[in-house]
Amino acid sequence: QVQLQESGPGLVKPSETLSLTCTVSGASTNSYFWSWIRQPPGKRLEWIGYIYYSGSTSYNPSLKSRVTISLDKSKNQFSLELTSVTAADTAVYYCARSQDDSSVFYYYWGQGTPVTVSS
Amino acid sequence: DIVMTQSPDSLAVSLGERATISCKSSQSVFKGSNHKNYVAWYQQKAGQPPHLLIYWASTRQSGVPDRFSGSESGTDFTLTISSLQAEDVAVYYCHQYYSRPYTFGQGTRVEIK
């Protein structure tokens, strides 16, 4: 049974770096697209980006200069770093896995972790 | 970016009645090489992550009740719940995975009348 679990601080100060980790169980990170998606309060889901198991990445241009997604196959984890955060980055952050190696829609999701940006 | 626009924003339907949600993409999400529209539908209940219902616009995910169906016509996509059940109260999102950045609709809230 595939499970994803986000972890990281729930409160980040403005201008600092948000760092989250997604731990994967029941599946190998040697396949699939591994993604981060966020949902600001009362707003639609926003795709942040993904890392392919090969290590290639793709980011939302709206965040591209501030975001890095990395993959640690030895730990079966992938991570998100978002720099220079502001209140607009307050959201529930989800990690998710693609259905297969070629199509980036999502069956497997973490439960989500709320992150608040505030001093 | 491809904009996905859903309508209505919310709807209230009686138990056992049909619920219909529309989603329009701002440009084609159809790939001729495989004759597929790159659209998925998700259900999100309060406090939970989204749950995949439909992909390729009309393919029902395994385990999803057959009262949920998806249809497509050009850049217009529809999610239909044929007979609304109490457990279907949720927000529903369409999603295009045709081109990056992948985008979602604004959501449609379904309630019981």
Side-chain angles (χ1 to χ4, degrees):
Chain A
Q1 182 183 358
V2 179
Q3 292 186 318
L4 289 75
Q5 179 65 58
E6 305 90 349
S7 59
L11 180 64
V12 182
K13 290 182 168 56
S15 80
E16 296 190 343
T17 296
L18 180 162
S19 297
L20 298 175
T21 297
C22 183
T23 300
V24 180
S25 57
S28 169
T29 50
N30 275 320
S31 299
Y32 309 111
F33 294 87
W34 303 93
S35 300
W36 288 96
I37 295 161
R38 70 181 183 179
Q39 189 168 33
K43 295 189 176 181
R44 71 180 70 193
L45 296 155
E46 180 181 26
W47 181 78
I48 297 172
Y50 67 58
I51 185 164
Y52 195 39
Y53 73 95
S54 63
S56 65
T57 55
S58 180
Y59 302 130
N60 193 319
S62 67
L63 301 168
K64 189 172 184 178
S65 62
R66 299 194 292 130
V67 65
T68 302
I69 297 175
S70 57
L71 180 62
D72 188 336
K73 293 181 181 179
S74 66
K75 294 183 179 179
N76 236 31
Q77 293 177 334
F78 63 108
S79 298
L80 169 71
E81 284 201 344
L82 185 65
T83 62
S84 305
V85 298
T86 70
D89 296 309
T90 293
V92 176
Y93 285 75
Y94 295 99
C95 58
R97 196 206 85 177
S98 63
Q99 179 90 330
D100 56 40
D101 279 347
S102 59
S103 310
V104 195
F105 57 90
Y106 302 102
Y107 179 69
Y108 297 103
W109 295 71
Q111 279 300 114
T113 187
V115 176
T116 300
V117 178
S118 175
S119 55
Chain B
D1 298 5
I2 296 177
V3 178
M4 304 295 280
T5 303
Q6 292 182 229
S7 61
D9 289 334
S10 65
L11 75 162
V13 176
S14 300
L15 288 172
E17 296 300 306
R18 178 184 300 262
T20 302
I21 301 168
S22 299
C23 176
K24 186 174 183 65
S25 59
S26 61
Q27 61 191 76
S28 174
V29 292
F30 179 80
K31 191 168 285 189
S33 59
N34 60 7
H35 297 276
K36 292 183 186 292
N37 276 301
Y38 282 55
V39 169
W41 287 94
Y42 300 87
Q43 174 194 66
Q44 187 177 32
K45 297 182 179 180
Q48 295 183 19
H51 174 62
L52 179 67
L53 299 173
I54 302 285
Y55 56 96
W56 301 128
S58 60
T59 300
R60 192 181 307 113
Q61 173 67 20
S62 175
V64 172
D66 61 7
R67 65 179 180 274
F68 291 92
S69 63
S71 61
E72 57 208 295
S73 177
T75 58
D76 294 310
F77 303 92
T78 302
L79 176 70
T80 301
I81 310 173
S82 61
S83 175
L84 191 74
Q85 304 300 303
E87 61 265 32
D88 301 334
V89 169
V91 179
Y92 293 83
Y93 294 94
C94 57
H95 165 219
Q96 69 82 17
Y97 50 98
Y98 176 80
S99 71
R100 293 165 290 177
Y102 306 127
T103 51
F104 296 83
Q106 81 274 22
T108 295
R109 185 176 301 276
V110 174
E111 299 173 328
I112 305 294
K113 186 187 291 183

